[in-house]
Amino acid sequence: AGTALGGLVQPGSGAFPQLGLNDVALYYGRNHGYEIRALDCSVTRHHIEMVCTTAPGVGVNHLFRAAAGKQISPKSASSTQRSYKAPMIYSIRGPGASDASTTGGQEIIITGTQLGPANMGVAPYVAVPIKVEYGRGDASRYVAKECTMLEDHTRVRCLTAPGVGAKHSWKLTVGSQTSSILHAGTNY
């Protein structure tokens, strides 16, 4: 819900989907303030408040814009920024998890929660960039390659990088949020 949703201004160059005259929407994101469109918005108090369900997504410090009919508000104040929960990883499995080839290129499957959707945004949808790092200590010696979402929010597939060593820990970054380090103990 928001307050003071009046004072809407005309949109610029069609940077958001046109709404019908009686439609309302809420857009939010980091770059333009309306990268993601909230779901199921309804006005609860005319000209003052609307309630929406957030769309699947990732990221931190999202700004908001309310839209009504053919008008859209300026970006919300920085004090109203909101973030999705940070990713959490629980397990690393696959041929690249144990006795992996030092030449890399072996599949690993990362399981967790809050890993994000495969795509997000307002059409055209964009792939959510995923960065997976691993190694001893702070898990930043190696960067896994070709990471893709296998199952929205819960499973990611990557290929190992060339490397050596044992007792590797892992971390995953999505939407500028990094998971806690998982001490998985994988090895080459």
Side-chain angles (χ1 to χ4, degrees), residues 79-120:
S79 63
T80 63
Q81 292 177 345
R82 296 293 180 262
S83 301
Y84 284 94
K85 289 183 179 179
M88 296 177 66
I89 56 175
Y90 302 131
S91 69
I92 309 295
R93 305 233 188 283
S98 179
D99 297 324
S101 168
T102 59
T103 61
Q106 288 188 290
E107 181 181 76
I108 53 109
I109 305 296
I110 301 164
T111 303
T113 60
Q114 305 298 330
L115 305 183
N119 300 293
M120 66 180 223

Side-chain angles (χ1 to χ4, degrees), residues 102-187:
T102 59
T103 61
Q106 288 188 290
E107 181 181 76
I108 53 109
I109 305 296
I110 301 164
T111 303
T113 60
Q114 305 298 330
L115 305 183
N119 300 293
M120 66 180 223
V122 176
Y125 296 101
V126 295
V128 175
I130 304 164
K131 181 178 183 182
V132 174
E133 298 171 278
Y134 61 103
R136 294 186 68 140
D138 69 355
S140 62
R141 182 170 183 184
Y142 303 109
V143 177
K145 301 181 291 183
E146 299 179 29
C147 294
T148 58
M149 191 66 61
L150 281 182
E151 189 174 320
D152 283 357
H153 314 288
T154 60
R155 288 179 18 145
V156 170
R157 175 195 178 273
C158 298
L159 299 177
T160 57
V164 296
K167 298 183 181 176
H168 293 294
S169 298
W170 294 71
K171 63 186 175 185
L172 179 145
T173 302
V174 62
S176 300
Q177 292 177 299
T178 301
S179 68
S180 297
I181 293 174
L182 173 66
H183 301 289
T186 62
N187 64 284

